[in-house]
Structure formats: C-alpha cells, structure tokens
Amino acid sequence: MPKLGKAGSLQSRQAIVHSLVHTESWAIDLSWDIIARFGKQEGMPREFFTDFVKVAQDEGRHFNLLAKRLEELGSSYGALPAHDGLWDSAIATSKDLLARLAIEHCVHEARGLDVLPTTISRFRNGGDNETADLLETVVYPEEITHCAAGVKWFKYLCLRSKTPALSRDNLSSEENGDKETEISTEGNEEVIQKFHATVRTHFRGPLKPPFNEEARKAAGFGPQWYEPLAVKEVQNNPST
C-alpha cells in the first residue's frame, strides 16, 4: 500500500483520490448487498429499500466524479494498490443485519465524516481546489445522509425486536438531524447499549478520535453512541 501523504505533491493527490475512488467502489457494492442480502430475508419495509437505493446512487455518482478527477490528475482507478478493509467487514457481518448496519453503515461511514474535512483542507493547501470543492460540496454532505440511514435502520431493528408489529410509520424520523428519533429515553438507551455491544463484538479495537461531532450529530449519531467505544474495554477476570 502506498503512503497517501498530505496532498502536497501530485503523487500524493493521486494516491488519496485513488483511495477515495476505491472506497466508493466498495460502497456501491455494499449498498446493493444490504438490499439483496437482507431486505426480503429480514422483512424490511419499503423505505429500507428506498433509502439504500438512494445511497447506492449517491455512491455511484461519487465514484464516477472521483474517477474522472483521478484521470484529470494523470492516473486511473486500478493504477495503485488498494485495501479491502470494507469488504472484509462485509464478510464478517454477512449473516447479521444489525451488525452490518452498525459496522459498515455507522462506524465506517462516520469515520469517513471524521477524516473528510482534513482531507479537503489538505487539497486546498496543496492548491487543488477542484478536488477540494468536489469533496466539500458533493461527497461530504451526501455521506452524512448515508450515516443517517445506518443509524435510522439500526434503531428500527432494535425497536422492532421488542415490538414485532412495528412499522416504519411508527418511527418519527427527524428531517434536520438535530433530534433523535422520537422514542422513550429508556428505549433509546437500550438501543445505544445494543450498538455498543454489537460494535465491540464485530469491530477490532476502540474507535479513533478525534470525532467530527457536528457531522455525526447531523446524522443523528450523538456522542453517547460512540464516545464510550473510544476507550478500550477492560476485561475483568476474577482471580481463582
């Protein structure tokens, strides 16, 4: 894997954009995979399909725009090595929709929100305003909605497990991202605790700060969801 650098050189800018294109490629596959693998099998409502079709369309557009930009920078997708971390996580969560939502569509999506502002700044500092504008005006705001979809449907599954007859219409989702879904404080705490347990089971190690609190909040992903996961869990083994 090549070092990405800080976008100060053409080689570094090519490497960063190539990495972003590769991430979008996996994101397209993951969006369709969650629909095909879990939608009908888990009896998900129509809005679940609609949300992730929209995510897939966004990711496809991001891929095309970034791949075009990469060519303008004198490279092309596939010219550099790339990691398969997202697909490794997909395989690990292939039999559990709750885990898939938590890891791929909450943890990984939110991590992208954490690092994108720094990436944008690096391109601007390196004199590449065109790439910075693409990331800032197209990719970044749409990625917030993708994280929001993960949070929304994780909540839905948790609540449905307690109320099997629950339909999507019973959940009042926020339009502006400033409010949590309208469920009881006790119910919300149970959902968050389930999220913590799921992430600790399916994700290696603690989450890495600093966190983009503003973007995460806009996705309905408050600090109570992720801050406890930034600390390595201590295993208490009773002495014998």
Side-chain angles (χ1 to χ4, degrees):
M1 289 290 298
K3 291 185 177 180
L4 299 184
K6 297 184 178 181
S9 67
L10 175 60
Q11 183 179 17
S12 174
R13 291 192 288 275
Q14 289 173 339
I16 294 172
V17 175
H18 188 279
S19 176
L20 292 170
V21 175
H22 185 63
T23 298
E24 298 294 352
S25 173
W26 282 132
I28 296 167
D29 290 344
L30 287 167
S31 300
W32 291 116
D33 186 77
I34 198 172
I35 292 170
R37 185 179 301 274
F38 296 109
K40 183 177 180 181
Q41 177 179 310
E42 297 293 336
M44 299 301 287
R46 179 182 293 271
E47 191 174 342
F48 173 86
F49 295 84
T50 301
D51 282 355
F52 283 101
V53 167
K54 174 64 165 58
V55 172
Q57 290 173 331
D58 289 348
E59 305 291 22
R61 185 171 61 260
H62 298 173
F63 175 88
N64 287 333
L65 290 170
L66 287 165
K68 180 176 182 291
R69 182 59 188 149
L70 182 60
E71 291 178 356
E72 292 169 350
L73 291 171
S75 186
S76 61
Y77 181 47
L80 298 172
H83 68 81
D84 291 336
L86 288 177
W87 198 247
D88 290 341
S89 295
I91 293 172
T93 58
S94 63
K95 299 184 184 302
D96 187 337
L97 176 55
L98 205 64
R100 173 65 64 84
L101 288 164
I103 303 304
E104 297 288 5
H105 299 281
C106 292
V107 171
H108 286 310
E109 286 281 8
R111 180 59 181 164
L113 298 178
D114 295 338
V115 301
L116 262 175
T118 298
T119 302
I120 292 166
S121 294
R122 286 177 174 174
F123 276 106
R124 291 210 187 281
N125 292 338
D128 187 350
N129 287 318
E130 189 167 349
T131 302
D133 288 343
L134 171 58
L135 294 174
E136 187 170 43
T137 63
V138 179
V139 176
Y140 182 53
E142 291 182 349
E143 293 297 342
I144 292 174
T145 69
H146 301 170
C147 183
V151 175
K152 167 181 167 180
W153 291 106
F154 186 91
K155 289 179 179 179
Y156 171 85
L157 281 181
C158 290
L159 296 177
R160 192 179 69 172
S161 69
K162 297 183 65 175
T163 311
L166 183 70
S167 70
R168 175 61 199 153
D169 292 338
N170 297 125
L171 291 180
S172 176
S173 61
E174 63 280 4
E175 292 296 329
N176 58 15
D178 290 337
K179 298 179 181 178
E180 291 285 332
T181 300
E182 294 178 6
I183 57 179
S184 69
T185 301
E186 180 181 356
N188 196 52
E189 182 61 29
E190 289 180 6
V191 171
I192 292 171
Q193 291 301 320
K194 181 63 175 178
F195 180 78
H196 293 168
T198 303
V199 173
R200 287 186 172 120
T201 299
H202 295 276
F203 188 79
R204 290 184 181 179
L207 304 187
K208 295 180 180 179
F211 301 114
N212 185 342
E213 295 182 8
E214 181 179 358
R216 285 170 175 255
K217 181 181 179 182
F221 203 39
Q224 67 272 30
W225 286 75
Y226 54 84
E227 284 184 348
L229 296 170
V231 179
K232 187 173 182 179
E233 189 176 28
V234 177
Q235 299 292 338
N236 294 320
N237 296 319
S239 57
T240 56

